[in-house]
Amino acid sequence: MKRYPTILAIVSTAAGAGVLSMFPPWWSVAIAAAATTFLFRLSPGRAFLSGFCGVGLLWLVIALIKDIGNEHILSTHMAQLFSLPNYAAFIAVTVLIGGIVGGMSAWSASLLTSRNKQ
Amino acid sequence: MSDHMDNGIQSNNKKGIVMPSAWAFVVSGFTFALIYVLNTSFGSLPAIGKVVDPTNGCWQNAEAINKKLNNSYVFPALNNETKVWFDERMVPHIHATNEHDLYFMQGYIHAYFRLWQMDMQTRAAAGRVSEVVGETALDFDRKQRRKGMGFAAENSLRAMEANVTTKQMLDAYTAGVNQFIEELHYKDYPLEYKLMSFRPEPWTNLKVALLLKYMADDLTGQTDDIAHSYLKAILPEGDFELLYPDKIVGSTPVIPPGTKFDTPSLPYPTAPSDSLAFPAYKTSDFGMERERGKGSNNWALSGNRTASGAAILCNDPHLALNLPSLWYEVQLQAPGLNVYGASLPGAPGVVIGFNDSMSWGITNNYRDVKDYYEIKPVDGSGNKYWLSGKQLAFKKRIEQIGIKGQHDFTDTVLYTIHGPVTYDLDYNEQRGLRRMLAVSWTGHRASNEQLAIYLLNKSKNYNDFTNAIQYFECPAQNMIYADRKGNIALWGQGQFINKWKNQGRFVMNGSDSATLWQELIPMSENPHAVNPDQGYLASANQCVTDSTYPYWYNGDYTEFRAWRINEVLSKTNNATIADMFALQNDNFSVLARNVLPIMLSYCTQISNPRLDTLRKWDYVLAANSTAATIFQLWWRNLYSDIWKDEFSRVPDYIIPTQERTMQLVMTDTALKYYDYRRTKKKEHLRDIVLMSYRETMDSLDVQEKGIGMQWYHAKNTSVTHLTKIPAFSFTNLRTGGWGNTVNAMKPHHGPSWRMVVQMGKKIEAYGIYPGGQSGNPGSKYYDNHIAQWEAGKYYSLLFMPNTDKQNDKIKFTWNASKE
């Protein structure tokens, strides 16, 4: 079976998540991560990586665009609300949550569809 | 990583279909659980995943700093093209060709900037907070319903909808709010909806009525009847009147002394005997305490007292300092209407402001319009109560209270001839008085304050003004007026009851019809003054009239600010706008000037640099003043020491007022209440002053090492988000003042909207409120007024002429049309 570069899977995850996230619920990004895993037949390890990076990067980029345009007003308030040291920490938390959800979904999809290697 | 993961147990079935491993189920089960947890709100915690999702969650509320608001809208509900011009502070100037479109757009704009706040305040009024925050608010919700808030709003709604003008106004406004709500997707929800995990619901005319009742309750909901009943029972004969006079001697009343009142059209009613009128209570019937805080100033100067020769009107209502602010600035234009001022998000029109002919302002009138009646239920029935020997049936109103995450709670509220039963054995009075108490409140009446607001906004002259305020029944307000012809006027306005002496001063015996509220006083006979000789008029929640007013009333008055304002204005000639700013920001304490020299006179033997600081002090409670901190703490200790032993079981609020205490300290050095009961010695004023001095110095030592001695640190004025979330709030603002100064900057209450308007040929208007036009904590317009307000500065208000040409100060434009 052809082995696609992981970067392609990451891009695919991010793109799929980007399209799906235009429609709630927010966890539709998990579907994009899982679908990519299935399409690219990713091994569990690469699946997690591509899910984590794909969703995480997408969320990082959108959050950064919003945050820079807003000059950190909202992120500073949210950081205080969640007792985080500064706005950057709130961005990190956002990326981490997106990443973990994407990664776990992709990993799950990989395990659920993987065959015995014999 | 992958190898390790693949080492899990795997199995194939015999037909060759691949079955996932058990490990796969563990991982995917965990993934589902994770998503479920991140998608669920637990208690007050938001659904984290949903909130941080950058495409739909909180990040969408991060409003770009340079966001251009220009837009074109198609609203089929509009009759005609409507323009909205936003100035640099985002104040909308709405220009419509008809009133329907005007109020539709005002509704749309209120919702656009303040929807969550409108939702929460009307939920609070209706007792529906538990639906969105859970059981913690259940007690609050029950209280709201037992006060008859829903009942009151429904009554007013009937009156508002029976009037064609207000019906159309409300329908248009509600349609505008709903136009906005219908367009919303989750990602557009105000931030607080996302954090609290609930969604906007359709707006209704009833919600407008609820909001107005919310204000009425805020301003007239407090009453001392219960505490007074208790005090009357425990105090020796004569002491109650000495300590709690129904009108304080030496007041500078709202209506200047010497004003001639109309001959009363109603006879002075005869009081029933006390034993019939009032139930007697014992100490053991009570417990607990509460706090107070609201006040306001307004004044107007006629042209002969101002430098420009034009009348000047000033108003600063002191209300809870919240974010989003209670107020929203707006200019409304339609044919025959051009008004600017502070509006309440949730209701159409402008509440305090000016138009091209006149200006008006309000302060709370504090005349008592809420009385308690003890109800005597018929034994064993649960359905009936006694009135003058007859059994009457309770009317029952079932209140279904939704609670987030739990089953509904059902409360049955009993309605009597007096009003709803607020307290009974199932829901105790806050002081723990275990009796069945019903409440009569003018706010329950089917009044139409919305019509008063509508007519005020369009008033051209004094006659229009007096006609407009006839519809303002509750909350009773001191309504001040100034016009461009130089006229000034002040009305102690509201719907009042022709009471016998002491009626409603104490809890009344609800089982005798002699205590029932009788006739309404015609509103034209409310105390008022027009163009008085003194050339100015002022109100600051003080006593409304002198003793020549022909009807009896009582109320909950404060005098310090009024004393100071009258003192300053009576000496003010050639007043300028800057003088008015200075008076609204005045931190001079009449209390300190009167009592501090007496307090210091007992300390001449003591050497302490803090006393030197006080001796040199100018009685100004400035933000950075150390003397202010020392004085206020010392006075608080003295005030409490005088009363605390005798009144240890009395709620703090209802110990004699600071005004009365000051008068006693100034006139009586041997009052028996100075005596400390635990000692054998008979204490004198000197002893209690020295005792409070020692206590004060001890706590100042702690204060000095802690937050420091500057007054603004000691008092901590804050502007707090409605949820009390510290991240969205501002604390420790650098402001002077206190409850005893014109600039009444208290911890959570203060000048919620400062306005100064000079009604000259050209209207010159200034205003500011602590907050910003946007309710969104992610917007730069959320808090952009706070620093200016803190510094006591004002914005020049852009009052545009009623034409379809825009001003060059306009930053953004909305064009809204039918198609």
Side-chain angles (χ1 to χ4, degrees):
Chain A
M1 191 172 72
K2 193 180 172 212
R3 196 183 151 103
Y4 296 99
T6 309
I7 185 77
L8 208 63
I10 293 174
V11 171
S12 161
T13 304
V19 172
L20 283 180
S21 67
M22 282 188 259
F23 315 96
W26 65 276
W27 47 260
S28 61
V29 295
I31 297 168
T36 302
T37 303
F38 186 72
L39 285 174
F40 288 71
R41 307 222 170 254
L42 299 174
S43 68
R46 289 173 68 225
F48 184 88
L49 188 69
S50 95
F52 186 96
C53 294
V55 177
L57 282 174
L58 176 77
W59 282 25
L60 176 68
V61 168
I62 302 172
L64 278 180
I65 291 171
K66 281 287 172 187
D67 189 52
I68 291 167
N70 179 241
E71 292 180 6
H72 327 300
I73 297 174
L74 180 99
S75 52
T76 304
H77 283 312
M78 294 301 292
Q80 285 169 350
L81 181 65
F82 290 110
S83 305
L84 298 168
N86 52 42
Y87 72 87
F90 183 66
I91 297 175
V93 166
T94 298
V95 171
L96 207 64
I97 289 175
I100 289 173
V101 168
M104 291 300 296
S105 308
W107 184 17
S108 304
S110 173
L111 288 179
L112 286 170
T113 58
S114 67
R115 292 155 198 277
N116 266 342
K117 288 170 197 158
Q118 287 172 351
Chain B
M1 196 173 177
S2 90
D3 285 347
H4 166 74
M5 285 168 186
D6 284 357
N7 284 343
I9 307 153
Q10 299 177 1
S11 64
N12 290 340
N13 73 6
K14 286 172 188 157
K15 288 173 189 167
I17 297 169
V18 180
M19 278 296 285
S21 64
W23 179 239
F25 286 112
V26 172
V27 172
S28 42
F30 180 80
T31 306
F32 277 111
L34 176 74
I35 291 175
Y36 175 79
V37 167
L38 291 171
N39 195 44
T40 309
S41 159
F42 297 95
S44 62
L45 282 175
I48 301 285
K50 219 172 163 180
V51 166
V52 300
D53 165 24
T55 24
N56 300 293
C58 71
W59 290 100
Q60 288 299 317
N61 300 84
E63 190 181 287
I65 292 286
N66 56 5
K67 183 182 176 186
K68 301 270 184 289
L69 215 69
N70 295 316
N71 218 333
S72 289
Y73 292 95
V74 175
F75 297 141
L78 288 177
N79 292 323
N80 220 326
E81 190 167 316
T82 306
K83 285 196 156 66
V84 184
W85 296 301
F86 290 90
D87 65 26
E88 57 184 5
R89 289 188 297 114
M90 295 302 277
V91 176
H93 303 259
I94 308 175
H95 183 79
T97 62
N98 60 85
E99 290 178 0
H100 168 273
D101 290 358
L102 178 70
Y103 296 120
F104 177 91
M105 281 313 293
Q106 191 185 8
Y108 187 88
I109 288 172
H110 273 168
Y112 188 99
F113 290 98
R114 301 288 188 87
L115 179 63
W116 175 80
Q117 161 191 18
M118 291 159 63
D119 190 339
M120 280 312 282
Q121 285 173 336
T122 47
R123 278 178 184 279
R128 290 184 53 211
V129 179
S130 306
E131 282 176 25
V132 296
V133 308
E135 201 184 2
T136 50
L138 180 59
D139 217 40
F140 172 82
D141 284 346
R142 285 186 76 187
K143 174 88 182 278
Q144 294 302 85
R145 298 186 186 225
R146 284 168 160 264
K147 284 194 288 200
M149 293 293 286
F151 169 73
E154 286 164 18
N155 287 343
S156 270
L157 181 65
R158 268 196 294 281
M160 292 195 282
E161 294 198 329
N163 179 289
V164 180
T165 306
T166 41
K167 164 88 168 120
Q168 287 175 349
M169 188 185 195
L170 291 187
D171 285 349
Y173 181 83
T174 294
V177 176
N178 284 330
Q179 174 77 46
F180 178 73
I181 293 174
E182 280 159 22
E183 293 166 6
L184 287 182
H185 299 286
Y186 177 80
K187 75 182 171 75
D188 314 311
Y189 285 5
L191 179 63
E192 294 91 339
Y193 282 109
K194 297 177 184 177
L195 295 176
M196 295 171 72
S197 310
F198 72 109
R199 65 178 66 174
E201 61 181 15
W203 192 257
T204 58
N205 290 353
L206 178 65
K207 286 175 184 270
V208 177
L210 282 165
L211 181 79
L212 297 176
K213 292 301 175 189
Y214 176 79
M215 295 306 298
D217 177 56
D218 190 40
L219 295 167
T220 65
Q222 303 287 3
T223 166
D224 298 333
D225 303 4
I226 295 165
H228 281 166
S229 295
Y230 168 63
L231 289 161
K232 190 162 172 275
I234 61 159
L235 288 173
E237 187 82 31
D239 278 21
F240 180 78
E241 293 299 335
L242 173 77
L243 303 180
Y244 302 93
D246 65 350
K247 294 178 190 71
I248 196 164
V249 176
S251 170
T252 49
V254 173
I255 304 305
T259 304
K260 200 163 154 24
F261 296 109
D262 299 339
T263 313
S265 62
L266 301 178
Y268 196 89
T270 320
S273 70
D274 276 14
S275 57
L276 174 74
F278 310 115
Y281 294 126
K282 298 185 299 292
T283 317
S284 54
D285 294 329
F286 294 84
M288 299 181 43
E289 55 183 81
R290 61 178 175 157
E291 71 169 89
R292 72 188 298 182
K294 287 160 287 276
S296 309
N297 309 313
N298 66 23
W299 60 83
L301 279 71
S302 72
N304 56 24
R305 283 214 180 246
T306 67
S308 69
I312 300 181
L313 180 137
C314 306
N315 190 193
D316 56 305
H318 309 152
L319 295 163
L321 300 175
N322 284 333
L323 287 168
S325 167
L326 185 68
W327 302 113
Y328 180 80
E329 261 178 87
V330 68
Q331 180 172 7
L332 304 176
Q333 296 182 336
L337 170 65
N338 186 15
V339 63
Y340 188 111
S343 68
L344 287 173
V350 168
V351 180
I352 297 172
F354 56 95
N355 60 33
D356 31 27
S357 309
M358 50 75 84
S359 54
W360 78 100
I362 57 181
T363 64
N364 205 14
N365 176 277
Y366 277 115
R367 226 165 123 168
D368 185 8
V369 294
K370 184 175 182 181
D371 294 333
Y372 283 108
Y373 286 90
E374 182 173 323
I375 301 301
K376 199 158 122 197
V378 173
D379 286 342
S381 97
N383 294 318
K384 289 179 176 169
Y385 62 99
W386 290 104
L387 186 77
S388 293
K390 276 189 251 160
Q391 297 187 4
L392 298 186
F394 289 118
K395 287 199 184 103
K396 294 184 179 176
R397 187 179 156 110
I398 308 295
E399 297 284 0
Q400 193 88 6
I401 306 176
I403 307 172
K404 182 184 174 187
Q406 292 182 34
H407 293 298
D408 288 1
F409 180 91
T410 306
D411 206 3
T412 303
V413 182
L414 305 175
Y415 280 71
T416 67
I417 189 167
H418 306 288
V421 172
T422 305
Y423 303 112
D424 53 29
L425 296 186
D426 182 41
Y427 188 83
N428 274 196
E429 194 276 323
Q430 53 195 336
R431 291 186 185 82
L433 178 58
R434 293 173 62 79
R435 299 294 167 92
M436 188 184 261
L437 298 179
V439 64
S440 284
W441 180 39
T442 55
H444 288 141
R445 294 169 45 81
S447 55
N448 189 354
E449 285 75 22
Q450 191 63 59
L451 183 58
I453 292 170
Y454 172 83
L455 293 170
L456 269 172
N457 289 189
K458 298 182 80 158
S459 290
K460 299 278 169 230
N461 52 45
Y462 180 65
N463 279 343
D464 291 351
F465 170 77
T466 53
N467 177 50
I469 64 175
Q470 295 309 307
Y471 300 99
F472 210 98
E473 297 190 20
C474 183
Q477 298 291 302
N478 299 313
M479 300 198 142
I480 200 153
Y481 168 92
D483 66 27
R484 287 171 91 176
K485 298 200 172 99
N487 299 304
I488 59 170
L490 180 52
W491 280 72
Q493 189 63 5
Q495 180 61 68
F496 302 108
I497 310 297
N498 184 20
K499 290 182 173 181
W500 33 268
K501 185 169 164 43
N502 287 345
Q503 186 173 17
R505 206 171 165 201
F506 312 99
V507 174
M508 288 185 281
N509 174 7
S511 62
D512 196 293
S513 60
T515 63
L516 275 167
W517 275 6
Q518 301 293 329
E519 286 163 292
L520 304 173
I521 299 174
M523 286 171 82
S524 60
E525 292 178 40
N526 281 340
H528 59 276
V530 190
N531 294 327
D533 294 340
Q534 64 184 28
Y536 70 89
L537 287 162
S539 78
N541 317 112
Q542 79 273 41
C543 197
V544 184
T545 63
D546 64 11
S547 58
T548 63
Y549 183 61
Y551 295 102
W552 183 84
Y553 65 95
N554 70 325
D556 181 16
Y557 304 115
T558 54
E559 305 290 334
F560 292 119
R561 285 175 287 112
W563 280 324
R564 175 64 178 168
I565 292 167
N566 276 287
E567 176 180 300
V568 172
L569 291 182
S570 64
K571 289 182 208 146
T572 301
N573 292 305
N574 300 317
T576 62
I577 284 167
D579 293 336
M580 301 296 99
F581 293 168
L583 185 51
Q584 283 189 336
N585 285 279
D586 185 276
N587 292 327
F588 183 88
S589 170
V590 172
L591 171 71
R593 182 180 63 196
N594 286 335
V595 299
L596 184 59
I598 297 171
M599 290 153 74
L600 287 170
S601 71
Y602 296 113
C603 302
T604 47
Q605 309 294 316
I606 307 171
S607 155
N608 183 331
R610 286 184 186 139
L611 289 176
D612 298 334
T613 306
L614 286 179
R615 287 191 188 102
K616 282 182 276 183
W617 187 40
D618 55 6
Y619 311 120
V620 174
L621 299 171
N624 58 2
S625 169
T626 302
T629 306
I630 304 171
F631 167 73
Q632 283 296 151
L633 191 60
W634 189 3
W635 165 254
R636 193 179 75 184
N637 286 329
L638 175 60
Y639 181 49
S640 140
D641 288 346
I642 292 173
W643 305 118
K644 80 177 169 198
D645 52 337
E646 286 87 355
F647 291 82
S648 57
R649 299 243 15 225
V650 178
D652 174 55
Y653 172 34
I654 199 65
I655 59 180
T657 63
Q658 299 199 47
E659 287 88 338
R660 188 69 195 126
T661 308
M662 177 191 86
Q663 289 179 335
L664 292 167
V665 166
M666 289 168 74
T667 54
D668 191 344
T669 55
L671 186 73
K672 69 178 176 197
Y673 289 91
Y674 300 146
D675 183 35
Y676 210 60
R677 286 179 166 191
R678 269 181 281 168
T679 58
K680 281 215 176 103
K681 190 183 155 204
K682 172 130 178 64
E683 278 87 2
H684 173 271
L685 180 58
R686 160 192 287 274
D687 303 296
I688 205 148
V689 165
L690 290 173
M691 181 168 92
S692 60
Y693 166 80
R694 284 188 297 273
E695 291 165 357
T696 306
M697 293 308 133
D698 289 348
S699 40
L700 283 173
D701 292 341
V702 177
Q703 170 120 14
E704 204 159 26
K705 288 186 202 109
I707 56 176
M709 293 289 283
Q710 294 189 13
W711 172 231
Y712 79 97
H713 281 305
K715 67 166 175 148
N716 191 11
T717 294
S718 303
V719 182
T720 313
H721 187 266
L722 286 171
T723 57
K724 313 258 188 281
I725 292 175
F728 301 162
S729 307
F730 292 77
T731 56
N732 225 349
L733 295 172
R734 200 183 175 91
T735 62
W738 191 239
N740 60 48
T741 67
V742 179
N743 183 26
M745 286 278 194
K746 290 187 269 189
H748 299 288
H749 289 84
S752 61
W753 163 241
R754 284 181 172 136
M755 181 179 82
V756 174
V757 192
Q758 180 161 282
M759 299 302 294
K761 211 169 236 171
K762 179 178 181 296
I763 293 174
E764 253 190 275
Y766 301 85
I768 192 162
Y769 66 88
Q773 288 287 88
S774 173
N776 174 13
S779 164
K780 71 167 170 177
Y781 300 108
Y782 172 68
D783 52 18
N784 58 320
H785 298 168
I786 288 183
Q788 290 277 98
W789 176 84
E790 185 182 5
K793 292 182 178 157
Y794 294 73
Y795 294 110
S796 168
L797 307 180
L798 175 63
F799 184 56
M800 295 166 59
N802 194 355
T803 64
D804 59 4
K805 261 200 268 155
Q806 73 172 62
N807 186 294
D808 58 5
K809 290 190 179 122
I810 293 306
K811 228 174 139 188
F812 305 116
T813 302
W814 282 2
N815 287 303
S817 57
K818 196 179 172 63
E819 51 201 8

